Structure formats: structure tokens, C-alpha cells
Amino acid sequence: MFLPRLAAALALSCAACASPEPLSTTISTRPDTMEQAAVRGRQLATGACASCHAVGAVGDSPMAAATPFREIVHRRPLDQLEEAFAEGLVTSHPAMPAYVFRASEIDDLVAYLETVKVEP
């Protein structure tokens, strides 16, 4: 007799402590969008690359030997660029400094490069 009452009391006390809001409204489960990643990628490109490369869909690179991003995406598929970023960027022009990108930065940069990929 004592055990069923104890179980009922425990269940009622746990229910009283429960949050009235459903869990789905208190925890964000939305994945990052490609648009958000592209915005961060543009910020990264502007901060780390734009002093030498044209990082937008138009314009010349400030450094003649630095290929505009919109052309780079046609020379190599984006998955190969992503792999190159992960392994450490190697370039054909010696003035480029070595960059090491975090995985999240690579994802963002590739998302941005997709936006400047203009068909020739």
C-alpha cells in the first residue's frame, strides 16, 4: 500500500517541476543555412583575402598575380578547393601567405565561393 502512494507522490512532484514550455521552443534545433554560411564566408574572404584577390563577382584583384575568386571556382571544383583548404592552401604565386582554416571557416568560405561562381 505504501509503495503505490510513494510512486504517485513522486510522479506528481516531478510533474510539478516540469517546464510549462515544450522543449522544442527552448532549444534551437535549426541547422545553419547556406545563406548564413555564405555571409560568414564573405566576411572571412574580405578580411583575409581581399587585400590581394578580388573576392566579389566583379572587379580586378588588387594584386595582379592573385586570381579573382570568381575565376578560381572555375579552375577547380569546389570539393577540390575545400580539400585544398583543409590540407593547407598551396598556390602558384609566392606572395601568398600560408593560411590554416578551421573546418567551419572552410565550410563558410566554400558556401561563399558558390555565390561568386558566375558562368563564363
Side-chain angles (χ1 to χ4, degrees), residues 28-50:
S28 176
T29 57
R30 287 189 296 175
D32 199 21
T33 66
M34 290 299 289
E35 292 84 12
Q36 292 168 324
V39 167
R40 288 190 307 271
R42 179 173 179 80
Q43 292 169 341
L44 177 62
T46 300
C49 311

mmCIF file with all atom_site columns, all heavy atoms in Angstrom, residues 28-50:
data_model
loop_
_atom_site.group_PDB
_atom_site.id
_atom_site.type_symbol
_atom_site.label_atom_id
_atom_site.label_alt_id
_atom_site.label_comp_id
_atom_site.label_asym_id
_atom_site.label_entity_id
_atom_site.label_seq_id
_atom_site.pdbx_PDB_ins_code
_atom_site.Cartn_x
_atom_site.Cartn_y
_atom_site.Cartn_z
_atom_site.occupancy
_atom_site.B_iso_or_equiv
_atom_site.pdbx_formal_charge
_atom_site.auth_seq_id
_atom_site.auth_comp_id
_atom_site.auth_asym_id
_atom_site.auth_atom_id
_atom_site.pdbx_PDB_model_num
ATOM 1   N N   . SER A 1 28 ? 17.233 25.591 -29.689 1.00 0.00 ? 28 SER A N   1
ATOM 2   C CA  . SER A 1 28 ? 17.226 25.807 -31.129 1.00 0.00 ? 28 SER A CA  1
ATOM 3   C C   . SER A 1 28 ? 17.788 24.583 -31.830 1.00 0.00 ? 28 SER A C   1
ATOM 4   O O   . SER A 1 28 ? 18.903 24.153 -31.544 1.00 0.00 ? 28 SER A O   1
ATOM 5   C CB  . SER A 1 28 ? 18.067 27.034 -31.482 1.00 0.00 ? 28 SER A CB  1
ATOM 6   O OG  . SER A 1 28 ? 18.134 27.168 -32.883 1.00 0.00 ? 28 SER A OG  1
ATOM 7   N N   . THR A 1 29 ? 17.019 24.017 -32.727 1.00 0.00 ? 29 THR A N   1
ATOM 8   C CA  . THR A 1 29 ? 17.470 22.844 -33.471 1.00 0.00 ? 29 THR A CA  1
ATOM 9   C C   . THR A 1 29 ? 17.586 23.137 -34.955 1.00 0.00 ? 29 THR A C   1
ATOM 10  O O   . THR A 1 29 ? 17.804 22.234 -35.743 1.00 0.00 ? 29 THR A O   1
ATOM 11  C CB  . THR A 1 29 ? 16.494 21.663 -33.270 1.00 0.00 ? 29 THR A CB  1
ATOM 12  O OG1 . THR A 1 29 ? 15.192 22.069 -33.669 1.00 0.00 ? 29 THR A OG1 1
ATOM 13  C CG2 . THR A 1 29 ? 16.474 21.205 -31.823 1.00 0.00 ? 29 THR A CG2 1
ATOM 14  N N   . ARG A 1 30 ? 17.434 24.425 -35.340 1.00 0.00 ? 30 ARG A N   1
ATOM 15  C CA  . ARG A 1 30 ? 17.521 24.760 -36.762 1.00 0.00 ? 30 ARG A CA  1
ATOM 16  C C   . ARG A 1 30 ? 18.961 24.682 -37.230 1.00 0.00 ? 30 ARG A C   1
ATOM 17  O O   . ARG A 1 30 ? 19.852 25.241 -36.603 1.00 0.00 ? 30 ARG A O   1
ATOM 18  C CB  . ARG A 1 30 ? 16.990 26.161 -37.019 1.00 0.00 ? 30 ARG A CB  1
ATOM 19  C CG  . ARG A 1 30 ? 15.496 26.249 -36.918 1.00 0.00 ? 30 ARG A CG  1
ATOM 20  C CD  . ARG A 1 30 ? 15.017 27.571 -37.376 1.00 0.00 ? 30 ARG A CD  1
ATOM 21  N NE  . ARG A 1 30 ? 15.543 28.583 -36.460 1.00 0.00 ? 30 ARG A NE  1
ATOM 22  C CZ  . ARG A 1 30 ? 15.393 29.873 -36.624 1.00 0.00 ? 30 ARG A CZ  1
ATOM 23  N NH1 . ARG A 1 30 ? 14.741 30.339 -37.655 1.00 0.00 ? 30 ARG A NH1 1
ATOM 24  N NH2 . ARG A 1 30 ? 15.882 30.722 -35.749 1.00 0.00 ? 30 ARG A NH2 1
ATOM 25  N N   . PRO A 1 31 ? 19.202 23.990 -38.328 1.00 0.00 ? 31 PRO A N   1
ATOM 26  C CA  . PRO A 1 31 ? 20.564 23.947 -38.857 1.00 0.00 ? 31 PRO A CA  1
ATOM 27  C C   . PRO A 1 31 ? 20.953 25.298 -39.465 1.00 0.00 ? 31 PRO A C   1
ATOM 28  O O   . PRO A 1 31 ? 20.090 26.099 -39.833 1.00 0.00 ? 31 PRO A O   1
ATOM 29  C CB  . PRO A 1 31 ? 20.492 22.868 -39.940 1.00 0.00 ? 31 PRO A CB  1
ATOM 30  C CG  . PRO A 1 31 ? 19.058 22.849 -40.343 1.00 0.00 ? 31 PRO A CG  1
ATOM 31  C CD  . PRO A 1 31 ? 18.256 23.228 -39.118 1.00 0.00 ? 31 PRO A CD  1
ATOM 32  N N   . ASP A 1 32 ? 22.233 25.527 -39.510 1.00 0.00 ? 32 ASP A N   1
ATOM 33  C CA  . ASP A 1 32 ? 22.757 26.738 -40.125 1.00 0.00 ? 32 ASP A CA  1
ATOM 34  C C   . ASP A 1 32 ? 22.370 26.740 -41.599 1.00 0.00 ? 32 ASP A C   1
ATOM 35  O O   . ASP A 1 32 ? 22.431 25.711 -42.267 1.00 0.00 ? 32 ASP A O   1
ATOM 36  C CB  . ASP A 1 32 ? 24.283 26.719 -39.989 1.00 0.00 ? 32 ASP A CB  1
ATOM 37  C CG  . ASP A 1 32 ? 24.900 28.074 -40.171 1.00 0.00 ? 32 ASP A CG  1
ATOM 38  O OD1 . ASP A 1 32 ? 24.194 29.086 -40.017 1.00 0.00 ? 32 ASP A OD1 1
ATOM 39  O OD2 . ASP A 1 32 ? 26.101 28.120 -40.447 1.00 0.00 ? 32 ASP A OD2 1
ATOM 40  N N   . THR A 1 33 ? 21.971 27.883 -42.126 1.00 0.00 ? 33 THR A N   1
ATOM 41  C CA  . THR A 1 33 ? 21.592 27.941 -43.531 1.00 0.00 ? 33 THR A CA  1
ATOM 42  C C   . THR A 1 33 ? 22.807 28.261 -44.393 1.00 0.00 ? 33 THR A C   1
ATOM 43  O O   . THR A 1 33 ? 23.794 28.819 -43.916 1.00 0.00 ? 33 THR A O   1
ATOM 44  C CB  . THR A 1 33 ? 20.510 29.003 -43.773 1.00 0.00 ? 33 THR A CB  1
ATOM 45  O OG1 . THR A 1 33 ? 21.071 30.291 -43.500 1.00 0.00 ? 33 THR A OG1 1
ATOM 46  C CG2 . THR A 1 33 ? 19.290 28.774 -42.912 1.00 0.00 ? 33 THR A CG2 1
ATOM 47  N N   . MET A 1 34 ? 22.700 27.923 -45.641 1.00 0.00 ? 34 MET A N   1
ATOM 48  C CA  . MET A 1 34 ? 23.777 28.223 -46.585 1.00 0.00 ? 34 MET A CA  1
ATOM 49  C C   . MET A 1 34 ? 23.972 29.725 -46.720 1.00 0.00 ? 34 MET A C   1
ATOM 50  O O   . MET A 1 34 ? 25.083 30.196 -46.897 1.00 0.00 ? 34 MET A O   1
ATOM 51  C CB  . MET A 1 34 ? 23.487 27.593 -47.950 1.00 0.00 ? 34 MET A CB  1
ATOM 52  C CG  . MET A 1 34 ? 23.597 26.087 -47.958 1.00 0.00 ? 34 MET A CG  1
ATOM 53  S SD  . MET A 1 34 ? 25.247 25.497 -47.517 1.00 0.00 ? 34 MET A SD  1
ATOM 54  C CE  . MET A 1 34 ? 26.147 25.960 -48.975 1.00 0.00 ? 34 MET A CE  1
ATOM 55  N N   . GLU A 1 35 ? 22.870 30.473 -46.621 1.00 0.00 ? 35 GLU A N   1
ATOM 56  C CA  . GLU A 1 35 ? 22.978 31.928 -46.724 1.00 0.00 ? 35 GLU A CA  1
ATOM 57  C C   . GLU A 1 35 ? 23.802 32.499 -45.579 1.00 0.00 ? 35 GLU A C   1
ATOM 58  O O   . GLU A 1 35 ? 24.640 33.379 -45.781 1.00 0.00 ? 35 GLU A O   1
ATOM 59  C CB  . GLU A 1 35 ? 21.588 32.585 -46.749 1.00 0.00 ? 35 GLU A CB  1
ATOM 60  C CG  . GLU A 1 35 ? 20.783 32.290 -47.993 1.00 0.00 ? 35 GLU A CG  1
ATOM 61  C CD  . GLU A 1 35 ? 20.024 30.970 -47.923 1.00 0.00 ? 35 GLU A CD  1
ATOM 62  O OE1 . GLU A 1 35 ? 19.921 30.366 -46.822 1.00 0.00 ? 35 GLU A OE1 1
ATOM 63  O OE2 . GLU A 1 35 ? 19.537 30.513 -48.971 1.00 0.00 ? 35 GLU A OE2 1
ATOM 64  N N   . GLN A 1 36 ? 23.570 32.000 -44.366 1.00 0.00 ? 36 GLN A N   1
ATOM 65  C CA  . GLN A 1 36 ? 24.343 32.463 -43.212 1.00 0.00 ? 36 GLN A CA  1
ATOM 66  C C   . GLN A 1 36 ? 25.813 32.083 -43.367 1.00 0.00 ? 36 GLN A C   1
ATOM 67  O O   . GLN A 1 36 ? 26.707 32.874 -43.055 1.00 0.00 ? 36 GLN A O   1
ATOM 68  C CB  . GLN A 1 36 ? 23.783 31.868 -41.921 1.00 0.00 ? 36 GLN A CB  1
ATOM 69  C CG  . GLN A 1 36 ? 22.414 32.389 -41.561 1.00 0.00 ? 36 GLN A CG  1
ATOM 70  C CD  . GLN A 1 36 ? 21.764 31.589 -40.458 1.00 0.00 ? 36 GLN A CD  1
ATOM 71  O OE1 . GLN A 1 36 ? 21.920 30.376 -40.369 1.00 0.00 ? 36 GLN A OE1 1
ATOM 72  N NE2 . GLN A 1 36 ? 21.014 32.274 -39.610 1.00 0.00 ? 36 GLN A NE2 1
ATOM 73  N N   . ALA A 1 37 ? 26.064 30.876 -43.843 1.00 0.00 ? 37 ALA A N   1
ATOM 74  C CA  . ALA A 1 37 ? 27.440 30.428 -44.049 1.00 0.00 ? 37 ALA A CA  1
ATOM 75  C C   . ALA A 1 37 ? 28.120 31.285 -45.114 1.00 0.00 ? 37 ALA A C   1
ATOM 76  O O   . ALA A 1 37 ? 29.285 31.663 -44.966 1.00 0.00 ? 37 ALA A O   1
ATOM 77  C CB  . ALA A 1 37 ? 27.465 28.953 -44.453 1.00 0.00 ? 37 ALA A CB  1
ATOM 78  N N   . ALA A 1 38 ? 27.392 31.621 -46.177 1.00 0.00 ? 38 ALA A N   1
ATOM 79  C CA  . ALA A 1 38 ? 27.962 32.444 -47.246 1.00 0.00 ? 38 ALA A CA  1
ATOM 80  C C   . ALA A 1 38 ? 28.293 33.846 -46.747 1.00 0.00 ? 38 ALA A C   1
ATOM 81  O O   . ALA A 1 38 ? 29.313 34.428 -47.145 1.00 0.00 ? 38 ALA A O   1
ATOM 82  C CB  . ALA A 1 38 ? 27.005 32.505 -48.440 1.00 0.00 ? 38 ALA A CB  1
ATOM 83  N N   . VAL A 1 39 ? 27.467 34.393 -45.872 1.00 0.00 ? 39 VAL A N   1
ATOM 84  C CA  . VAL A 1 39 ? 27.741 35.718 -45.303 1.00 0.00 ? 39 VAL A CA  1
ATOM 85  C C   . VAL A 1 39 ? 29.026 35.665 -44.478 1.00 0.00 ? 39 VAL A C   1
ATOM 86  O O   . VAL A 1 39 ? 29.892 36.536 -44.605 1.00 0.00 ? 39 VAL A O   1
ATOM 87  C CB  . VAL A 1 39 ? 26.548 36.214 -44.442 1.00 0.00 ? 39 VAL A CB  1
ATOM 88  C CG1 . VAL A 1 39 ? 26.935 37.407 -43.595 1.00 0.00 ? 39 VAL A CG1 1
ATOM 89  C CG2 . VAL A 1 39 ? 25.364 36.549 -45.331 1.00 0.00 ? 39 VAL A CG2 1
ATOM 90  N N   . ARG A 1 40 ? 29.151 34.642 -43.658 1.00 0.00 ? 40 ARG A N   1
ATOM 91  C CA  . ARG A 1 40 ? 30.398 34.495 -42.871 1.00 0.00 ? 40 ARG A CA  1
ATOM 92  C C   . ARG A 1 40 ? 31.590 34.259 -43.792 1.00 0.00 ? 40 ARG A C   1
ATOM 93  O O   . ARG A 1 40 ? 32.682 34.769 -43.552 1.00 0.00 ? 40 ARG A O   1
ATOM 94  C CB  . ARG A 1 40 ? 30.255 33.356 -41.863 1.00 0.00 ? 40 ARG A CB  1
ATOM 95  C CG  . ARG A 1 40 ? 29.339 33.666 -40.709 1.00 0.00 ? 40 ARG A CG  1
ATOM 96  C CD  . ARG A 1 40 ? 29.436 32.601 -39.621 1.00 0.00 ? 40 ARG A CD  1
ATOM 97  N NE  . ARG A 1 40 ? 29.225 31.255 -40.124 1.00 0.00 ? 40 ARG A NE  1
ATOM 98  C CZ  . ARG A 1 40 ? 28.043 30.664 -40.217 1.00 0.00 ? 40 ARG A CZ  1
ATOM 99  N NH1 . ARG A 1 40 ? 26.951 31.302 -39.820 1.00 0.00 ? 40 ARG A NH1 1
ATOM 100 N NH2 . ARG A 1 40 ? 27.940 29.434 -40.689 1.00 0.00 ? 40 ARG A NH2 1
ATOM 101 N N   . GLY A 1 41 ? 31.387 33.497 -44.865 1.00 0.00 ? 41 GLY A N   1
ATOM 102 C CA  . GLY A 1 41 ? 32.466 33.247 -45.819 1.00 0.00 ? 41 GLY A CA  1
ATOM 103 C C   . GLY A 1 41 ? 32.917 34.516 -46.513 1.00 0.00 ? 41 GLY A C   1
ATOM 104 O O   . GLY A 1 41 ? 34.109 34.730 -46.725 1.00 0.00 ? 41 GLY A O   1
ATOM 105 N N   . ARG A 1 42 ? 31.966 35.369 -46.842 1.00 0.00 ? 42 ARG A N   1
ATOM 106 C CA  . ARG A 1 42 ? 32.319 36.656 -47.463 1.00 0.00 ? 42 ARG A CA  1
ATOM 107 C C   . ARG A 1 42 ? 33.118 37.508 -46.484 1.00 0.00 ? 42 ARG A C   1
ATOM 108 O O   . ARG A 1 42 ? 34.094 38.146 -46.863 1.00 0.00 ? 42 ARG A O   1
ATOM 109 C CB  . ARG A 1 42 ? 31.087 37.412 -47.926 1.00 0.00 ? 42 ARG A CB  1
ATOM 110 C CG  . ARG A 1 42 ? 31.452 38.761 -48.556 1.00 0.00 ? 42 ARG A CG  1
ATOM 111 C CD  . ARG A 1 42 ? 30.268 39.470 -49.184 1.00 0.00 ? 42 ARG A CD  1
ATOM 112 N NE  . ARG A 1 42 ? 30.633 40.742 -49.741 1.00 0.00 ? 42 ARG A NE  1
ATOM 113 C CZ  . ARG A 1 42 ? 31.224 40.929 -50.912 1.00 0.00 ? 42 ARG A CZ  1
ATOM 114 N NH1 . ARG A 1 42 ? 31.525 39.892 -51.677 1.00 0.00 ? 42 ARG A NH1 1
ATOM 115 N NH2 . ARG A 1 42 ? 31.519 42.144 -51.346 1.00 0.00 ? 42 ARG A NH2 1
ATOM 116 N N   . GLN A 1 43 ? 32.710 37.515 -45.221 1.00 0.00 ? 43 GLN A N   1
ATOM 117 C CA  . GLN A 1 43 ? 33.444 38.265 -44.205 1.00 0.00 ? 43 GLN A CA  1
ATOM 118 C C   . GLN A 1 43 ? 34.868 37.737 -44.061 1.00 0.00 ? 43 GLN A C   1
ATOM 119 O O   . GLN A 1 43 ? 35.820 38.507 -43.961 1.00 0.00 ? 43 GLN A O   1
ATOM 120 C CB  . GLN A 1 43 ? 32.716 38.207 -42.858 1.00 0.00 ? 43 GLN A CB  1
ATOM 121 C CG  . GLN A 1 43 ? 31.412 38.960 -42.850 1.00 0.00 ? 43 GLN A CG  1
ATOM 122 C CD  . GLN A 1 43 ? 30.571 38.686 -41.618 1.00 0.00 ? 43 GLN A CD  1
ATOM 123 O OE1 . GLN A 1 43 ? 30.752 37.695 -40.922 1.00 0.00 ? 43 GLN A OE1 1
ATOM 124 N NE2 . GLN A 1 43 ? 29.623 39.575 -41.361 1.00 0.00 ? 43 GLN A NE2 1
ATOM 125 N N   . LEU A 1 44 ? 35.017 36.424 -44.083 1.00 0.00 ? 44 LEU A N   1
ATOM 126 C CA  . LEU A 1 44 ? 36.341 35.809 -44.000 1.00 0.00 ? 44 LEU A CA  1
ATOM 127 C C   . LEU A 1 44 ? 37.178 36.178 -45.219 1.00 0.00 ? 44 LEU A C   1
ATOM 128 O O   . LEU A 1 44 ? 38.345 36.579 -45.096 1.00 0.00 ? 44 LEU A O   1
ATOM 129 C CB  . LEU A 1 44 ? 36.213 34.286 -43.881 1.00 0.00 ? 44 LEU A CB  1
ATOM 130 C CG  . LEU A 1 44 ? 37.506 33.484 -43.862 1.00 0.00 ? 44 LEU A CG  1
ATOM 131 C CD1 . LEU A 1 44 ? 38.359 33.851 -42.661 1.00 0.00 ? 44 LEU A CD1 1
ATOM 132 C CD2 . LEU A 1 44 ? 37.199 31.995 -43.857 1.00 0.00 ? 44 LEU A CD2 1
ATOM 133 N N   . ALA A 1 45 ? 36.583 36.059 -46.401 1.00 0.00 ? 45 ALA A N   1
ATOM 134 C CA  . ALA A 1 45 ? 37.302 36.390 -47.634 1.00 0.00 ? 45 ALA A CA  1
ATOM 135 C C   . ALA A 1 45 ? 37.704 37.859 -47.664 1.00 0.00 ? 45 ALA A C   1
ATOM 136 O O   . ALA A 1 45 ? 38.822 38.199 -48.056 1.00 0.00 ? 45 ALA A O   1
ATOM 137 C CB  . ALA A 1 45 ? 36.438 36.049 -48.850 1.00 0.00 ? 45 ALA A CB  1
ATOM 138 N N   . THR A 1 46 ? 36.795 38.719 -47.232 1.00 0.00 ? 46 THR A N   1
ATOM 139 C CA  . THR A 1 46 ? 37.090 40.152 -47.214 1.00 0.00 ? 46 THR A CA  1
ATOM 140 C C   . THR A 1 46 ? 38.229 40.460 -46.244 1.00 0.00 ? 46 THR A C   1
ATOM 141 O O   . THR A 1 46 ? 39.133 41.231 -46.570 1.00 0.00 ? 46 THR A O   1
ATOM 142 C CB  . THR A 1 46 ? 35.823 40.951 -46.831 1.00 0.00 ? 46 THR A CB  1
ATOM 143 O OG1 . THR A 1 46 ? 34.818 40.674 -47.809 1.00 0.00 ? 46 THR A OG1 1
ATOM 144 C CG2 . THR A 1 46 ? 36.093 42.441 -46.797 1.00 0.00 ? 46 THR A CG2 1
ATOM 145 N N   . GLY A 1 47 ? 38.207 39.833 -45.091 1.00 0.00 ? 47 GLY A N   1
ATOM 146 C CA  . GLY A 1 47 ? 39.233 40.100 -44.090 1.00 0.00 ? 47 GLY A CA  1
ATOM 147 C C   . GLY A 1 47 ? 40.577 39.458 -44.378 1.00 0.00 ? 47 GLY A C   1
ATOM 148 O O   . GLY A 1 47 ? 41.628 40.038 -44.090 1.00 0.00 ? 47 GLY A O   1
ATOM 149 N N   . ALA A 1 48 ? 40.576 38.266 -44.947 1.00 0.00 ? 48 ALA A N   1
ATOM 150 C CA  . ALA A 1 48 ? 41.819 37.520 -45.115 1.00 0.00 ? 48 ALA A CA  1
ATOM 151 C C   . ALA A 1 48 ? 42.356 37.512 -46.539 1.00 0.00 ? 48 ALA A C   1
ATOM 152 O O   . ALA A 1 48 ? 43.549 37.267 -46.734 1.00 0.00 ? 48 ALA A O   1
ATOM 153 C CB  . ALA A 1 48 ? 41.615 36.075 -44.657 1.00 0.00 ? 48 ALA A CB  1
ATOM 154 N N   . CYS A 1 49 ? 41.517 37.783 -47.529 1.00 0.00 ? 49 CYS A N   1
ATOM 155 C CA  . CYS A 1 49 ? 41.927 37.561 -48.914 1.00 0.00 ? 49 CYS A CA  1
ATOM 156 C C   . CYS A 1 49 ? 41.838 38.790 -49.819 1.00 0.00 ? 49 CYS A C   1
ATOM 157 O O   . CYS A 1 49 ? 42.511 38.865 -50.837 1.00 0.00 ? 49 CYS A O   1
ATOM 158 C CB  . CYS A 1 49 ? 41.075 36.447 -49.533 1.00 0.00 ? 49 CYS A CB  1
ATOM 159 S SG  . CYS A 1 49 ? 40.937 34.955 -48.533 1.00 0.00 ? 49 CYS A SG  1
ATOM 160 N N   . ALA A 1 50 ? 40.971 39.733 -49.465 1.00 0.00 ? 50 ALA A N   1
ATOM 161 C CA  . ALA A 1 50 ? 40.648 40.840 -50.374 1.00 0.00 ? 50 ALA A CA  1
ATOM 162 C C   . ALA A 1 50 ? 41.784 41.830 -50.569 1.00 0.00 ? 50 ALA A C   1
ATOM 163 O O   . ALA A 1 50 ? 41.732 42.618 -51.515 1.00 0.00 ? 50 ALA A O   1
ATOM 164 C CB  . ALA A 1 50 ? 39.399 41.579 -49.896 1.00 0.00 ? 50 ALA A CB  1
#
